[in-house]
Amino acid sequence: MSSREKRGKVWLAVSGLVKSSEGHWLVVKKRYGGLKGQWSLPAGFVEEGETADEAVIREVKEETGISCTVKGLIGLRTGVLKGEISDNMLVFLLEPVEQEERIIHQENELYEARFIAPHKLLLEKDASILLHYLIEQMELTSKPGVEDLNPGNQFGYTAYKLFL
């Protein structure tokens, strides 16, 4: 069974906008898919048994070697592919745990990964539309996560977080 079949017709992905202390953004160039050869945010799919914020930390670490903490949720990108697949992606704001950590990009998935100043990304012809849109927003806001809530034991949540 391919990963596409495993996901079914409703996809939940995550991407992380990682900002360095200098304000540079961590971007990657994928070797596959619709964003092949374009600068984009590190991204991937939420897996069974993890929250979306856990997934984005895992994906950024897998793709770039950079350990991060979640600062908040920026927003949602949602669409429908070919009239049938609901393609949803949560965009998180992240911060590197160590500012000088070296990027080690995932060779089989990525051509490259690096921190680039947003104004320089705007000049890149191969920067994704989402990157352009995020950069052009004057002030990005994010909603921090709240973890110390319990909606009731009747639900059986083993993890429960709000980003509101």
Side-chain angles (χ1 to χ4, degrees), residues 7 9-14 44-47 50-52 55 76-77 86-90:
R7 281 193 293 276
K9 303 257 187 213
V10 179
W11 297 355
L12 181 58
V14 290
F45 290 96
V46 178
E47 293 180 355
E50 68 183 354
T51 60
L76 166 70
R77 191 270 293 136
S86 176
D87 180 24
N88 305 285
M89 184 172 72
L90 297 168

Side-chain angles (χ1 to χ4, degrees), residues 19-94:
K19 287 187 180 181
S20 72
S21 56
E22 302 87 38
H24 295 181
W25 292 14
L26 180 62
V27 289
V28 300
K29 262 192 188 178
K30 300 219 185 275
R31 290 184 179 271
Y32 64 92
L35 291 173
K36 181 179 180 175
Q38 289 187 44
W39 289 113
S40 61
L41 297 176
F45 290 96
V46 178
E47 293 180 355
E48 289 178 30
E50 68 183 354
T51 60
D53 57 306
E54 292 167 343
V56 76
I57 289 170
R58 175 185 51 76
E59 282 291 344
V60 170
K61 179 75 173 172
E62 284 176 5
E63 289 189 4
T64 69
I66 303 289
S67 300
C68 293
T69 56
V70 172
K71 303 308 289 177
L73 177 68
I74 295 172
L76 166 70
R77 191 270 293 136
T78 185
V80 177
L81 301 172
K82 299 180 180 164
E84 63 178 30
I85 296 173
S86 176
D87 180 24
N88 305 285
M89 184 172 72
L90 297 168
V91 182
F92 287 93
L93 178 62
L94 305 177

